[in-house]
Amino acid sequence: MADTADTAEPILELKDVTLKFGETWGLRNVSLDLYPGQTFIIFGAAGSGKTTLLKAVIGLVRVDSGQIKLLGEDVTQMEEHELFGLRSRVGILFQEGGLFDSLLVGENVEYPLVNQQSSAKEGDSQGEEEVECRVRETLRFVELEHTMEKFPSELSGGMRRRVGIARAIVTNPPLVLYDSPTAGLDPITANTIMALIAKQRDVQNTASLLVSHRYQDGEIMADFRYDPEKKELLAIPEEARVSGANGTRFVVMRGGEIVFFGTRHELEASDDGYVKRFVRHEG
Amino acid sequence: MLRFLTTWIGSFQEYILLSGRAFGNIVREPHYYDDVLIQMDIIGFGSIPIVLLTGFFSGAIIALQMARALNTYGASSQVGSIVALTLVRELGPVLTALLVTGRNASGIASELGSMKVTEQIDAMRALGTDPVQKLVTPRLIATAVMLPALTVVADAIGLFGAYLVSVPLLKIISASQYWTTSYQALVMNDLAQGLLKPLIFGMIIALVGCFYGLRTTGGTQGVGRATTHAVVAASIWIFFVTFLIDKIFVNL
């Protein structure tokens, strides 16, 4: 499906995944293969199944039929208690951040590490200093190291979202699920957040599923790459953009079904009236 | 009526399933010892002032009322044994449990309810933590351990309150007579039900609080509703279970 796939095993495979809520389709025959370093930007109207898809991937909602293979394990065949270990290997950013309001920012970011430790066998666990060091490093990555001792309620919406990103990536997961990371934020903060997501992708070769309502979010992921030397996002060459060489693909959903899958170039060239609504046209 | 019954049975089934998972987690890894200690501090140590006050006044009030009634029959010397039996068997466990219900079942339901409506419970599941293991089991252990301890404190301070009324205030009985009759009135059966009750009440309080908290829907109003339901349900269950245990122990 993707050009970057080559010989690597897919991180996530969905085959004919279907879920119905009463008479409404939550997901309808959804099939996807996501490889390391790839990003799928998911667009769709409200209720089209975007968040349901993210939740189904980690078994937070159970599907009616089809197969979901995450990191080589079949989510659809696993019991709830078996899923906890698998989920702890995936990062997730909730739309509202989903931060624990009774924990400090530092403790929130530390949570997935401590959680992994408590389920790890003795000898595999990291020391306290190592954990703190990793938390600081991750908060520095999202430029919020100074907020470690604050409660989430003391931060602005954009800062909370960045803490959410820090918590999602602190364990360096191979896959991160972002649910509307820029929803309700001003354009400057939204671009900062997208830059962080692109940086994480390029520094760690992280695969992502990103639900969004902003076309610019997809543009940043498709047209830019993070340069670790210059420490900034640089535009990729035109021919690489057209071929979608950096692995960014656009998915458009309607009524739980995937109605478009392709590169940014293909998305902009689409004639479908519904698909065209998610493309920002110049002029 | 049928719909109400179906809903009630469905809820009770969910409650039993939650209880089963919470008990099962006691022996399943991972264990959150820190959370157990934190909850013991909140539920146990935090409830001491109110338990001391209530225990003291219940003992003192029973002594005042009994002194008058017993005097009619010329049996004032029995005030110690009556206070001891009433407190240890019934009032100590039930009053302490009702106080802890008001204080902690509501606290647990509102805390978990707020977490539920702000998607923190979902976030916990998504991060790979079992919310029942992390939130319910520590509260279950903490309440089941601390409530019997609090009841012992309430019983002791209640006996002391009754002593102050009977001996220095009303002077109807001597100190040694009061303590001897109180001590002699209690047999193993009384102590057993006096400690078994708070153990079971503790489990009820924690599980009912968690159950209503975790099924909260409907925003802040839902949190308020969950809190009210938790306190009402836990209180009713406490009276019902007291009745059952009394029935069993009376026949022993």
Side-chain angles (χ1 to χ4, degrees):
Chain A
M1 184 180 282
D3 312 334
T4 51
D6 296 335
T7 54
E9 285 288 308
I11 281 186
L12 174 69
E13 286 177 84
L14 275 79
K15 276 184 200 151
D16 280 329
V17 173
T18 296
L19 168 66
K20 268 189 120 174
F21 299 118
E23 289 303 303
T24 322
W25 290 100
L27 297 170
R28 191 173 184 183
N29 301 324
V30 172
S31 296
L32 285 174
D33 283 345
L34 180 71
Y35 289 85
Q38 272 197 316
T39 303
F40 289 174
I41 312 286
I42 307 168
F43 291 135
S48 59
K50 306 182 296 291
T51 301
T52 308
L53 175 64
L54 292 195
K55 288 187 172 175
V57 164
I58 51 171
L60 283 183
V61 295
R62 294 309 191 123
V63 297
D64 297 335
S65 64
Q67 193 186 41
I68 302 172
K69 274 186 109 176
L70 173 64
L71 305 172
E73 298 194 56
D74 190 350
V75 173
T76 49
Q77 299 298 318
M78 293 168 85
E79 295 288 326
E80 175 78 5
H81 68 270
E82 293 172 317
L83 280 167
F84 292 122
L86 183 62
R87 287 179 192 147
S88 69
R89 291 159 58 198
V90 176
I92 183 161
L93 172 71
F94 281 87
Q95 195 167 351
E96 300 299 326
L99 298 176
F100 302 124
D101 52 14
S102 55
L103 299 183
L104 297 170
V105 165
E107 291 170 332
N108 262 289
V109 178
E110 186 188 75
Y111 189 91
L113 287 172
V114 175
N115 187 42
Q116 274 193 343
Q117 272 192 338
S118 59
S119 47
K121 291 184 181 74
E122 235 171 276
D124 291 354
S125 57
Q126 299 165 299
E128 259 178 51
E129 274 178 32
E130 210 174 323
V131 168
E132 201 197 318
C133 186
R134 178 72 195 132
V135 170
R136 281 193 181 283
E137 191 186 313
T138 315
L139 278 171
R140 203 176 306 131
F141 184 88
V142 296
E143 295 164 16
L144 283 176
E145 197 184 351
H146 59 283
T147 63
M148 257 187 93
E149 300 298 322
K150 289 187 174 176
F151 281 102
S153 56
E154 296 173 71
L155 306 182
S156 68
M159 287 163 105
R160 277 204 291 272
R161 213 67 66 85
R162 275 147 70 194
V163 174
I165 293 180
R167 189 176 69 176
I169 63 172
V170 70
T171 55
N172 272 335
L175 170 66
V176 183
L177 313 173
Y178 298 99
D179 191 357
S180 309
T182 56
L185 298 179
D186 63 273
I188 298 171
T189 315
N191 286 342
T192 311
I193 283 175
M194 287 315 299
L196 284 172
I197 292 173
K199 184 175 159 187
Q200 170 67 15
R201 172 194 66 187
D202 296 329
V203 173
Q204 299 290 341
N205 198 32
T206 310
S208 337
L209 282 185
L210 193 150
V211 167
S212 182
H213 299 279
R214 282 193 348 142
Y215 186 59
Q216 297 97 305
D217 294 351
E219 280 182 319
I220 293 175
M221 295 302 283
D223 296 352
F224 291 86
R225 67 173 179 85
Y226 179 75
D227 188 323
E229 282 170 17
K230 292 186 180 165
K231 294 192 173 172
E232 61 180 349
L233 288 183
L234 300 177
I236 60 173
E238 181 62 28
E239 59 272 22
R241 289 188 202 186
V242 174
S243 65
N246 71 353
T248 303
R249 293 290 180 274
F250 290 79
V251 178
V252 181
M253 295 186 75
R254 179 170 54 188
E257 201 172 6
I258 293 180
V259 291
F260 173 86
F261 180 91
T263 63
R264 182 186 161 202
H265 197 70
E266 289 163 343
L267 180 72
E268 287 179 357
S270 171
D271 291 332
D272 187 303
Y274 179 78
V275 174
K276 274 180 8 186
R277 281 161 54 192
F278 298 98
V279 182
R280 185 188 63 176
H281 292 284
E282 301 298 335
Chain B
M1 182 65 192
L2 188 69
R3 203 171 145 194
F4 172 78
L5 262 179
T6 322
T7 315
W8 193 87
I9 292 170
S11 300
F12 188 68
Q13 191 182 3
E14 277 179 47
Y15 175 77
I16 296 295
L17 284 174
L18 176 75
S19 307
R21 282 175 62 196
F23 278 108
N25 284 341
I26 294 176
V27 291
R28 195 178 294 148
E29 296 276 349
H31 299 297
Y32 297 100
Y33 298 113
D34 289 355
D35 292 285
V36 175
L37 290 177
I38 290 169
Q39 290 306 320
M40 278 181 162
D41 182 49
I42 295 172
I43 295 163
F45 196 73
S47 303
I48 283 182
I50 193 165
V51 165
L52 283 178
L53 267 176
T54 325
F56 178 84
F57 284 110
S58 15
I61 290 163
I62 301 169
L64 271 177
Q65 294 291 352
M66 283 300 141
R68 195 176 147 206
L70 290 170
N71 196 31
T72 319
Y73 304 101
S76 304
S77 59
Q78 289 307 309
V79 69
S81 53
I82 291 205
V83 169
L85 282 176
T86 325
L87 269 179
V88 172
R89 272 194 197 168
E90 215 62 62
L91 278 183
V94 173
L95 273 181
T96 313
L98 289 177
L99 283 172
V100 174
T101 299
R103 196 176 169 275
N104 295 105
S106 59
I108 292 171
S110 60
E111 187 185 350
L112 269 55
S114 305
M115 288 181 78
K116 177 79 192 309
V117 297
T118 54
E119 286 192 323
Q120 291 178 56
I121 302 283
D122 272 347
M124 200 171 261
R125 286 176 67 210
L127 290 169
T129 305
D130 180 358
V132 178
Q133 180 84 292
K134 172 87 177 159
L135 300 171
V136 182
T137 304
R139 282 165 177 77
L140 170 67
I141 298 172
T143 322
V145 171
M146 294 318 284
L147 197 59
L150 285 171
T151 305
V152 170
V153 172
D155 291 347
I157 196 76
L159 280 170
F160 179 67
Y163 160 81
L164 287 183
V165 168
S166 320
V167 183
L169 188 68
L170 299 179
K171 298 186 177 65
I172 52 173
I173 187 172
S174 73
S176 61
Q177 205 179 0
Y178 172 82
W179 291 115
T180 313
T181 50
S182 308
Y183 175 74
Q184 284 175 345
L186 296 171
V187 292
M188 197 47 86
N189 182 311
D190 304 319
L191 295 180
Q193 62 170 304
L195 287 175
L196 178 71
K197 279 180 186 174
L199 178 75
I200 297 173
F201 295 162
M203 294 172 190
I204 291 173
I205 293 168
L207 289 171
V208 168
C210 290
F211 173 70
Y212 281 103
L214 288 176
R215 73 202 299 255
T216 305
T217 49
T220 42
Q221 207 178 18
V223 176
R225 230 179 0 248
T227 310
T228 313
H229 285 159
V231 173
V232 172
S235 307
I236 293 171
W237 275 109
I238 284 168
F239 283 112
F240 179 66
V241 171
T242 305
F243 174 78
L244 278 185
I245 296 177
D246 283 350
K247 187 83 186 71
I248 294 166
F249 273 84
V250 163
N251 292 336
L252 281 182

